[in-house]
Amino acid sequence: MTVRRPRVITLLTDFGNQDAYVGIVKGVIAGINPFANIADICHSVPPQDIFSGAYLLYTSYKYFPRKTIHVAVVDPGVGSKRDIVCVETKDYFFLVPDNGLLSFIVQEEKPKSIIRVTNNKYFLPLPSSTFHGRDVFAPVAAHLSLGVKPQQLGIKINQLEQLDIPKPVRKKTGQVEGQIIYIDRFGNLITNITKEHLVKGVEGQKSEDRSQKLENRIKQRKTTLKELFSLCNTIETVIGRKKVVGLSNTYLDVNAGEPLVLFGSAGFLEISINQGNAQKYFRVDRGNKIRVEMGSY
Amino acid sequence: MTVRRPRVITLLTDFGNQDAYVGIVKGVIAGINPFANIADICHSVPPQDIFSGAYLLYTSYKYFPRKTIHVAVVDPGVGSKRDIVCVETKDYFFLVPDNGLLSFIVQEEKPKSIIRVTNNKYFLPLPSSTFHGRDVFAPVAAHLSLGVKPQQLGIKINQLEQLDIPKPVRKKTGQVEGQIIYIDRFGNLITNITKEHLVKGVEGQKSEDRSQKLENRIKQRKTTLKELFSLCNTIETVIGRKKVVGLSNTYLDVNAGEPLVLFGSAGFLEISINQGNAQKYFRVDRGNKIRVEMGSY
Amino acid sequence: MTVRRPRVITLLTDFGNQDAYVGIVKGVIAGINPFANIADICHSVPPQDIFSGAYLLYTSYKYFPRKTIHVAVVDPGVGSKRDIVCVETKDYFFLVPDNGLLSFIVQEEKPKSIIRVTNNKYFLPLPSSTFHGRDVFAPVAAHLSLGVKPQQLGIKINQLEQLDIPKPVRKKTGQVEGQIIYIDRFGNLITNITKEHLVKGVEGQKSEDRSQKLENRIKQRKTTLKELFSLCNTIETVIGRKKVVGLSNTYLDVNAGEPLVLFGSAGFLEISINQGNAQKYFRVDRGNKIRVEMGSY
């Protein structure tokens, strides 16, 4: 006999930790599948902030084992006609209100199927109109973890709601302009700028600005980021009226209390203060613009 | 061979999440029963706020599987002569200081037995006088989860301490007057008014105010809430100097930022703001009076 | 067949609960050892506050079952050349950055071995420089829980970084002077003064101050704390310009709202307010000096 691996069900909500809502959801799951392994991703998403929920789910989902059931409930439309969907990808199941919570994820994980969840056989009896986390998401997730197939939950649909995720743009001046999309507990300012955007920014520079060597590498699509940066004279990140020069590898590259720019653990350009709080230092908020200027070659 | 279902032990405390107290409790349980399934209900009960603890436990306990052991520690009397009790009901075990934490629950779940926990064989050695969560509640709960019977924990007693839970009253003006008993993370104002109170409020109206049809239904005790409300001209909820007209089914029945009244997921009348915070909007707090006026028929 | 006990992996970090960092760590562990029993000790250590992390780990670790793997990540040096170490003691494994997080623990639990963790076979591929919790600590802890030996993780070293933990001193006036080292959610002021310090304080008094009976007991090293205190006329604790007389056993020894001094659940002298908040009452903070004066005999 082999003991079956417990299926992981993750929870990401805006329920907070001050009430009993999260506990209730876990009770419902444990009642249906006592062997489910419930893992909290986060419950402190600001109330109704779908964008932050989508970002946090995106940074986490792929670190869980295959077949994990990711349940995300940031759901200002609860009780209305918005759909609840079960999305299956190559490796995961997602159970979410159809309001854009998967907007970041579908950019890199193509849905194999999208099911509108309607089969109330898998709901608690007489579901409330205000707490679908308890009455719909929890029992459906628990049944999925027991082997119910997404197809049994409802009918197939073709499209998901999408949030408008801001993309960095290349300015005429050559700068890459992005924005702060998330600020974490440490005050790190996480932007929407990836390494790829900077590489493209360099590729987009007029060729008279570039060295012949770099020119050839770019033509052959062999440029690595490291090369690019090693060739750069300077990278400057402009945030408000302040400027941070250079790109760091670790927080410790600068002195305590000083600002730095690096690519963070989610793959995005981040502005931080070594042992400090960049949000307080720069007095900025989500949505603030960030410009990155790469020197000539 | 069948793998035994892990027994669920829930934890509800005022220990908060900023210290290690909750983690320590989990350590003690895991040391005695490594297969226990520990589920947090909530640890953010305001310090020593037994009433909120009692409310949160009430809204959660029945969503857990049968035989769950509910441990609630909001315990301003720790170390004094207050009792610790193990209460068994038809479906659950409760392990609590005897200070009123079960006041809501015993209104709907009659105790089969109440045991004063005194058998220190099931405690940690040399229990402290300030952290019974670690030294008494955790080990006793773990032993219960291993099959120890409540009767082995101490001697039977007959009565539990009760909080004074405020009841709604019917005013001479015909209004039902209740009060805010809990405010959640979203700022929803949860009152002590249930559907039953409103039905009784209507039943208590002088009959010349009511339609003949409704009159007959009430006599035959066949009135449903839906009928009552469909017959009502208006339901008005008065909170401070403000008034909310009508009863909603979902938050989305009104525009974003507007107030509404509905029956929430715990069965109580709630005042909310669609995508907003009713506590901030109405500037009220727990204990504030709420009046519901049902129009004539 | 017997079902193996799940190994406990504890987590203590400064990651907070507002982001997804803790959830991600749990995902990585579940992916490697789906049967690991992950227990949160605390994630609200103030950012980069190694001292508080060390204190909290010290008060918790020994309440977990033998062979528990304690992972603590308060790591201002992440990505720099600071070491990650796996420390094995008689009963436990600790996986921490080598920055002093074990400073309290090594005072009572001698390391059997200290390994500098370098074997990246047990890391996630391409570890980031900012999130070793995800890329190093989580996978290494999971592998340990599967039976990997500390020796397989890297090479043996001999010494750990130590924090400077303040020790109480005996003043010429005979007072024992300590300081507040931690303040918990309830506002309890936890000092670095243990019972042993007070006993030594009494032993250090000039003998003309002491009764002959006590004198003899002390000579024979038979004095118990209880005896000492029962012989003391007064114990006074001075905090700022205020004074608390006597030593309590429980919070309830004084009226609600009044201050008291007792030995708390971690073994340290604590100043509390019965059903109140001593930090607000005394307006003090970590580092504030506390003096205890034991009357003559």
Side-chain angles (χ1 to χ4, degrees):
Chain A
M1 200 206 91
T2 47
V3 178
R4 280 234 321 256
R5 294 181 155 237
R7 280 289 282 283
V8 179
I9 297 175
T10 72
L11 302 177
L12 182 147
T13 74
D14 64 354
F15 295 170
N17 291 307
Q18 78 176 63
D19 308 305
Y21 299 129
V22 174
I24 293 169
V25 165
K26 292 178 180 176
V28 172
I29 294 172
I32 296 169
N33 181 359
F35 297 100
N37 181 359
I38 305 172
D40 298 302
I41 289 183
C42 179
H43 298 292
S44 305
V45 175
Q48 287 107 26
D49 182 353
I50 299 167
F51 189 93
S52 291
Y55 170 77
L56 291 171
L57 189 59
Y58 167 71
T59 63
S60 330
Y61 80 99
K62 57 178 157 290
Y63 292 98
F64 284 85
R66 287 191 65 233
K67 301 292 172 200
T68 289
I69 298 152
H70 292 294
V71 179
V73 191
V74 181
D75 192 10
V78 59
S80 73
K81 291 198 187 305
R82 68 88 183 82
D83 290 333
I84 292 174
V85 288
C86 177
V87 177
E88 187 176 354
T89 64
K90 181 167 157 291
D91 289 331
Y92 299 107
F93 298 90
F94 297 90
L95 188 65
V96 293
D98 185 16
N99 62 15
L101 272 170
L102 301 182
S103 297
F104 282 94
I105 289 173
V106 293
Q107 293 179 353
E108 66 179 36
E109 186 104 354
K110 211 182 133 57
K112 279 169 52 184
S113 78
I114 307 170
I115 303 291
R116 179 190 289 148
V117 177
T118 54
N119 189 346
N120 63 14
K121 169 177 157 188
Y122 299 110
F123 301 173
L124 291 199
L126 301 173
S128 70
S129 60
T130 56
F131 194 5
H132 284 187
R134 176 189 72 189
D135 301 331
V136 180
F137 289 94
V140 169
H143 285 293
L144 280 171
S145 75
L146 287 172
V148 166
K149 299 287 166 222
Q151 295 71 16
Q152 299 172 257
L153 299 174
I155 55 162
K156 214 173 154 170
I157 61 173
N158 294 313
Q159 229 168 343
L160 286 172
E161 287 292 323
Q162 291 285 328
L163 295 178
D164 185 24
I165 296 182
K167 298 271 176 241
V169 291
R170 184 164 188 266
K171 313 289 282 184
K172 281 183 186 164
T173 56
Q175 297 175 317
V176 173
E177 183 181 274
Q179 58 178 267
I180 300 171
I181 57 169
Y182 189 79
I183 300 176
D184 72 11
R185 149 184 238 206
F186 299 94
N188 295 317
L189 309 172
I190 298 164
T191 74
N192 58 346
I193 301 171
T194 64
K195 289 179 182 179
E196 194 63 22
H197 292 124
L198 292 197
V199 171
K200 281 190 187 143
V202 172
E203 288 177 2
Q205 285 183 334
K206 277 178 285 174
S207 41
E208 63 259 40
D209 292 345
R210 299 192 306 227
S211 70
Q212 192 54 47
K213 187 179 164 204
L214 178 61
E215 193 64 27
N216 291 337
R217 303 285 295 172
I218 288 175
K219 276 196 190 132
Q220 301 161 51
R221 302 286 308 164
K222 281 183 180 166
T223 324
T224 65
L225 191 72
K226 202 175 159 188
E227 246 181 335
L228 273 177
F229 291 154
S230 73
L231 287 163
C232 285
N233 292 326
T234 54
I235 287 191
E236 289 184 348
T237 303
V238 182
I239 170 169
R241 291 179 177 191
K242 291 182 180 160
K243 199 177 270 194
V244 184
V245 176
L247 194 66
S248 299
N249 283 311
T250 81
Y251 301 129
L252 278 275
D253 285 359
V254 303
N255 292 327
E258 286 185 4
L260 69 144
V261 171
L262 49 62
F263 280 99
S265 60
F268 294 112
L269 190 89
E270 289 184 24
I271 297 127
S272 303
I273 304 291
N274 180 19
Q275 293 170 59
N277 184 307
Q279 179 175 31
K280 288 183 187 158
Y281 183 95
F282 290 105
R283 300 191 189 183
V284 289
D285 221 328
R286 207 170 83 192
N288 272 75
K289 295 273 188 290
I290 301 293
R291 276 164 293 131
V292 181
E293 181 162 344
M294 284 163 295
S296 51
Y297 302 86
Chain B
M1 201 208 88
T2 48
V3 179
R4 280 237 318 259
R5 296 181 154 236
R7 280 289 283 284
V8 179
I9 297 174
T10 73
L11 302 177
L12 182 147
T13 74
D14 63 353
F15 295 169
N17 291 307
Q18 78 176 63
D19 307 305
Y21 299 130
V22 174
I24 293 169
V25 165
K26 292 179 181 175
V28 172
I29 294 173
I32 296 170
N33 181 0
F35 297 100
N37 180 359
I38 304 172
D40 298 302
I41 290 183
C42 179
H43 299 291
S44 305
V45 176
Q48 287 108 24
D49 182 353
I50 300 167
F51 188 94
S52 291
Y55 170 78
L56 291 171
L57 189 59
Y58 167 71
T59 64
S60 330
Y61 80 99
K62 55 178 160 291
Y63 291 99
F64 284 84
R66 286 190 66 233
K67 301 293 171 199
T68 289
I69 297 153
H70 292 294
V71 180
V73 191
V74 181
D75 193 8
V78 61
S80 73
K81 292 196 185 306
R82 68 89 182 82
D83 289 334
I84 292 174
V85 289
C86 176
V87 176
E88 186 177 354
T89 64
K90 182 168 155 289
D91 289 331
Y92 299 105
F93 297 91
F94 297 89
L95 188 65
V96 294
D98 185 17
N99 62 16
L101 271 171
L102 300 182
S103 297
F104 282 94
I105 289 174
V106 294
Q107 293 179 353
E108 66 178 37
E109 186 105 355
K110 211 183 134 51
K112 279 168 54 185
S113 79
I114 308 171
I115 303 291
R116 178 189 291 147
V117 177
T118 54
N119 190 346
N120 62 15
K121 171 177 155 189
Y122 300 111
F123 302 174
L124 291 200
L126 300 174
S128 70
S129 60
T130 56
F131 194 4
H132 284 186
R134 175 190 72 188
D135 301 331
V136 180
F137 289 95
V140 169
H143 285 294
L144 280 171
S145 75
L146 287 171
V148 166
K149 300 289 166 217
Q151 294 73 16
Q152 299 172 256
L153 300 174
I155 56 162
K156 213 173 154 168
I157 60 171
N158 294 313
Q159 231 170 342
L160 286 172
E161 287 292 323
Q162 291 286 327
L163 295 178
D164 186 25
I165 297 183
K167 297 273 176 239
V169 292
R170 185 164 187 265
K171 313 290 280 184
K172 281 183 184 161
T173 56
Q175 296 174 319
V176 173
E177 184 181 274
Q179 57 177 266
I180 300 171
I181 57 169
Y182 190 79
I183 301 176
D184 73 11
R185 155 191 231 200
F186 299 95
N188 295 317
L189 310 172
I190 298 164
T191 74
N192 58 346
I193 301 170
T194 63
K195 290 179 182 178
E196 194 63 22
H197 291 124
L198 291 198
V199 171
K200 280 187 186 146
V202 171
E203 287 178 2
Q205 284 183 335
K206 279 178 285 174
S207 43
E208 63 260 39
D209 292 344
R210 300 192 307 226
S211 72
Q212 192 54 48
K213 187 179 164 203
L214 178 59
E215 194 62 28
N216 293 337
R217 304 285 295 173
I218 287 175
K219 279 196 190 128
Q220 301 160 49
R221 303 287 308 166
K222 281 186 181 163
T223 326
T224 64
L225 191 75
K226 201 173 159 188
E227 246 180 336
L228 274 177
F229 290 154
S230 71
L231 287 165
C232 284
N233 293 326
T234 54
I235 287 190
E236 288 184 350
T237 303
V238 181
I239 170 168
R241 292 180 176 189
K242 290 184 180 161
K243 199 177 269 192
V244 184
V245 177
L247 194 66
S248 299
N249 284 310
T250 80
Y251 301 129
L252 278 277
D253 285 359
V254 301
N255 292 328
E258 287 185 4
L260 69 143
V261 171
L262 49 63
F263 280 99
S265 60
F268 294 112
L269 191 88
E270 288 184 26
I271 298 126
S272 303
I273 305 290
N274 180 19
Q275 292 169 58
N277 184 308
Q279 180 175 31
K280 288 184 188 157
Y281 183 95
F282 289 105
R283 300 190 190 186
V284 288
D285 221 327
R286 208 169 85 191
N288 271 74
K289 295 274 188 290
I290 300 293
R291 277 166 292 132
V292 181
E293 181 162 345
M294 285 162 295
S296 53
Y297 301 86
Chain C
M1 201 207 90
T2 47
V3 179
R4 280 238 318 260
R5 294 180 157 239
R7 280 291 282 284
V8 179
I9 297 174
T10 73
L11 302 177
L12 182 147
T13 74
D14 64 353
F15 295 170
N17 291 306
Q18 78 177 62
D19 307 305
Y21 299 129
V22 175
I24 293 169
V25 166
K26 293 179 180 176
V28 172
I29 293 172
I32 296 169
N33 181 0
F35 296 100
N37 180 0
I38 305 172
D40 298 303
I41 290 183
C42 179
H43 298 291
S44 305
V45 176
Q48 286 108 24
D49 181 353
I50 299 167
F51 189 94
S52 291
Y55 170 78
L56 291 170
L57 189 59
Y58 167 72
T59 64
S60 330
Y61 79 100
K62 56 176 158 290
Y63 292 99
F64 284 84
R66 287 190 64 233
K67 301 292 170 199
T68 289
I69 297 152
H70 292 294
V71 179
V73 191
V74 181
D75 193 8
V78 61
S80 73
K81 290 197 186 306
R82 68 87 183 84
D83 288 333
I84 293 175
V85 288
C86 177
V87 177
E88 187 176 355
T89 65
K90 183 168 155 288
D91 290 331
Y92 299 106
F93 298 90
F94 297 89
L95 189 64
V96 294
D98 185 16
N99 61 15
L101 272 171
L102 301 182
S103 297
F104 283 94
I105 289 174
V106 293
Q107 294 180 353
E108 67 178 37
E109 185 105 356
K110 212 183 132 54
K112 280 169 54 185
S113 78
I114 307 171
I115 304 291
R116 180 189 289 147
V117 177
T118 53
N119 188 346
N120 63 15
K121 169 177 157 189
Y122 300 110
F123 302 174
L124 291 199
L126 301 174
S128 70
S129 60
T130 56
F131 194 5
H132 284 186
R134 175 190 72 190
D135 301 332
V136 181
F137 290 94
V140 169
H143 284 293
L144 279 172
S145 74
L146 287 172
V148 166
K149 300 288 166 221
Q151 294 72 15
Q152 299 173 257
L153 299 174
I155 55 160
K156 214 174 153 165
I157 61 172
N158 293 313
Q159 229 170 343
L160 286 172
E161 288 291 323
Q162 291 286 327
L163 295 178
D164 186 24
I165 297 183
K167 298 272 177 240
V169 292
R170 185 166 186 265
K171 311 290 281 186
K172 281 184 187 162
T173 56
Q175 297 174 319
V176 174
E177 184 181 274
Q179 58 177 266
I180 300 172
I181 58 169
Y182 189 79
I183 301 176
D184 73 8
R185 145 179 245 207
F186 299 95
N188 295 317
L189 309 172
I190 298 163
T191 74
N192 58 345
I193 301 171
T194 64
K195 290 177 181 179
E196 194 63 22
H197 292 124
L198 291 199
V199 172
K200 281 188 187 146
V202 172
E203 288 177 1
Q205 284 182 336
K206 279 178 285 176
S207 42
E208 63 260 38
D209 293 344
R210 301 192 306 224
S211 71
Q212 192 53 48
K213 188 181 163 201
L214 179 60
E215 194 62 28
N216 292 336
R217 303 284 295 173
I218 288 175
K219 278 196 191 127
Q220 300 161 50
R221 302 286 309 165
K222 282 184 179 164
T223 326
T224 64
L225 191 73
K226 202 174 160 188
E227 246 180 336
L228 273 177
F229 291 154
S230 73
L231 288 164
C232 283
N233 293 327
T234 53
I235 287 190
E236 289 184 349
T237 303
V238 182
I239 170 170
R241 293 180 176 190
K242 290 182 182 161
K243 198 177 272 193
V244 185
V245 176
L247 194 67
S248 299
N249 284 309
T250 81
Y251 301 129
L252 278 276
D253 286 358
V254 302
N255 291 328
E258 287 185 4
L260 69 143
V261 171
L262 48 62
F263 280 99
S265 61
F268 294 112
L269 190 89
E270 289 184 25
I271 297 128
S272 303
I273 305 290
N274 180 19
Q275 292 170 57
N277 184 307
Q279 180 175 30
K280 287 184 188 159
Y281 183 94
F282 289 104
R283 300 189 190 184
V284 288
D285 221 327
R286 208 169 83 191
N288 272 77
K289 293 274 187 289
I290 301 293
R291 275 166 294 133
V292 182
E293 180 161 345
M294 285 162 297
S296 52
Y297 302 88

